Amino acid sequence: MVLKVYVSGMSGNKEVKKRQQRVLMILDSKNIKYDTVDITEPGKESEKELMQNKSTSSGGTVSDPEPRHPLPPQLFNDEEYCGDYDAFDMANEIDTLEVFLKLAPADTTAVCTAQIELKQENGEAKKEEAEAEEKKPEEEQKPEAGDGDVKDEAAEKAEKLSATTTNSAAVKTTSDSQSDLLLHSERAAAAM
């Protein structure tokens, strides 16, 4: 898929020029590849019509809040409309630009964030387990060797394994609910 930025090389509106420059600067700084389509060049009438017909946002400015036709810059991913400058700027501010530009699935960010949170929580669970291990030798006095002792040690190991499994399940449940909340908020932000 190719990201297309529709611009006007001969706009008399300073705000439109600044918006176009800012969009291109942000895309360059984030190393996002794009094609610039100057709708004022001769022979680009069909591109201009496509931009005007498929754009759902008008790209209104302070000097012209409700223009007759959508104003550049307008962003498309191939033929799929992404949005105007205001939507682009908002996506950049809330760090969902790749989703806005339809370069990545909406839940990729949520999955990555959830994985990071899960690793952090697992690290905390392992720390708690290590602290429990340190307390155990202090509390226990090892009895003399015998048949009953082997069974007691096996029962303790099974109990410890059960506790670890329970902690892991609790961490996973917490992580899943956090992932769902994060995913929901990402989708809501992308829908704006």
Side-chain angles (χ1 to χ4, degrees), residues 61-92:
T61 62
V62 173
S63 61
D64 191 6
E66 294 185 27
R68 286 185 297 160
H69 300 288
L71 297 176
Q74 297 286 337
L75 294 104
F76 287 79
N77 194 331
D78 281 332
E79 301 290 318
E80 191 175 354
Y81 182 64
C82 297
D84 65 350
Y85 171 79
D86 292 326
F88 174 88
D89 194 41
M90 179 59 75
N92 184 48

Side-chain angles (χ1 to χ4, degrees), residues 1-3 32 75-83 91 96-106 190:
M1 296 185 115
V2 177
L3 180 66
I32 297 174
L75 294 104
F76 287 79
N77 194 331
D78 281 332
E79 301 290 318
E80 191 175 354
Y81 182 64
C82 297
T96 58
L97 194 56
E98 287 79 13
V99 174
F100 168 76
L101 296 172
K102 298 171 178 44
L103 298 174

